[in-house]
Amino acid sequence: MATAADLASCDTTLQGTVTDTIFEGERLLYFVAVPGLATALQIYHHDPLGHAPHDRGAAVTIGWNARDLLIFPPQNM
């Protein structure tokens, strides 16, 4: 879990709500709804043993640096 100091050093921080959590063996996949965004963010956590998972409905603050973010365009299927 990030501390307030960790988040203070991020380029971007957002408040959101966990809408779903999927355990994928070596990682957790969180879906986080953020006000103003039409689609929930998908966040992969690669150290699920490092902390207790966030429950559905939990309020969370997420943060990242620009160099660490990958954005994929929607795919038409």
Side-chain angles (χ1 to χ4, degrees), residues 3 8 11 16 20 27 29 31-35 38 41-42 47-48 54-55 58 63-66 69-70 72-74:
T3 66
D11 294 332
D20 203 1
R27 66 184 182 189
L29 171 59
F31 291 84
V32 178
V34 175
L41 298 177
Q42 295 182 28
D47 185 17
H54 298 290
D55 292 327
W64 63 86
N65 291 311
L69 179 66
L70 300 174
F72 299 96

Side-chain angles (χ1 to χ4, degrees), residues 6-9 13-14 17-18 22 27 31 39-41 43-44 47-49 52-53 57 68 71-73 75-77:
D6 294 331
L7 292 171
S9 68
T13 58
L14 298 172
T17 303
V18 175
I22 300 172
R27 66 184 182 189
F31 291 84
T39 303
L41 298 177
I43 301 170
Y44 293 93
D47 185 17
L49 299 178
D68 300 323
I71 298 176
F72 299 96
Q75 296 179 345
N76 296 326
M77 294 187 174

